[in-house]
Amino acid sequence: MRLPKNLLVPGAFVKPSCYLCETNKERICELETTNTKGSFKFNSFSELQFDVARVYNDVVSGTTKINPHYDKIEAIRLIELKGFGYFELQGPELVSNGIEEKKSCTAYSLEYTLSQKYLENLKINMGSVDSVEVIYASSDKNIVPVTLYNPSNQKLSLLHLVLEKAYGWKIGHVDKQLQTLSRQFEVDRESIYDFLMNEVCEKFNCYIVFDTIDNTINVYAESLTAKFIGDGQTRTFTISPPFAQINTVSVDGYKTTRWTYNSATGLEHWCLMMHLHLEQILR
């Protein structure tokens, strides 16, 4: 996630473009937002807040016009914050003082939709007749455990099994040393989001990163991730307690978290993520 730089003012940033989209990410229009605030989180879904007025000033004609897409700003449609990702609109609040009218909007990062899709009666590596590895065993003497990621046999791949009900999402990067690990799970009813962020992360000692632009779920080993925060220029601070327990960290007035993938492991470099409280920058 990167803020666009202001080319006219060195070291300054500009407000990123905001687009109203259909649920398939097709753009409807660019929105002129005010009071825009972003809370971008690592271990929870991020939140975007903004207002959109019913009327606007046309800079070409100099007249006041009604926003032709105003009525389309409604729940379930998506917001694309360019360079940051996609957010699902919740039911906008209509605000009016009798003279002016606006919609006050809240949107959650797209992985929020996974909190509304559920896993039910799922047993993994439990050894019972209704456990997945037993159901798909070629024989009673050839029971192969379900591993975290098995692209050659998706029936025995935990991530594939979980995403069967997550339409539109796919698996991105999975660290090699995690792929063949197997753990036990027994789920009566739990959302896909909670299962991934709580059970999977805890039992595999990993972090899950949702890419809402490409709709991918990426899994990184906790032991191979360097964790630090800083101002992006001169200072670096070690995080304690463990990163997964950190909600927000404030540096120079901004709530910031920065991650880099540990290049010393020889594995693919993971670019930094910045979680910024953007209230001042986005207005």
Side-chain angles (χ1 to χ4, degrees), residues 144 147 149-157 160 171 179-180:
V144 179
T147 58
Y149 179 58
N150 185 353
S152 62
N153 189 348
Q154 297 183 12
K155 292 181 179 180
L156 297 177
S157 173
H160 285 94
I171 302 167
Q179 295 179 12
T180 57

Side-chain angles (χ1 to χ4, degrees), residues 248-260:
T248 57
V249 178
S250 181
V251 177
D252 293 341
Y254 294 104
K255 294 178 182 176
T256 306
T257 301
R258 191 169 72 175
W259 258 46
T260 57

Side-chain angles (χ1 to χ4, degrees), residues 168-185:
W169 288 89
K170 56 185 181 291
I171 302 167
H173 173 83
V174 182
D175 274 344
K176 290 183 179 180
Q177 62 272 48
L178 294 174
Q179 295 179 12
T180 57
L181 298 181
S182 60
R183 299 290 187 268
Q184 290 182 314
F185 298 94

Side-chain angles (χ1 to χ4, degrees), residues 70-134:
Y70 185 74
D71 291 338
K72 292 184 178 181
I73 304 173
E74 55 187 8
I76 306 301
R77 282 200 167 97
L78 304 183
I79 297 296
E80 177 193 354
L81 188 63
K82 191 172 182 181
F84 284 74
Y86 289 84
F87 299 75
E88 183 188 68
L89 270 169
Q90 308 307 296
E93 178 186 357
L94 193 64
V95 180
S96 176
N97 59 10
I99 300 175
E100 298 177 334
E101 180 185 305
K102 66 181 180 180
K103 286 185 177 181
S104 182
C105 302
T106 297
Y108 298 135
S109 50
L110 196 56
E111 68 267 23
Y112 172 75
T113 60
L114 298 178
S115 69
Q116 301 166 307
K117 301 179 185 298
Y118 290 86
L119 301 170
E120 296 180 294
N121 302 318
L122 178 65
K123 293 185 179 181
I124 302 290
N125 297 327
M126 297 301 295
S128 57
V129 293
D130 55 350
S131 190
V132 170
E133 81 285 357
V134 176

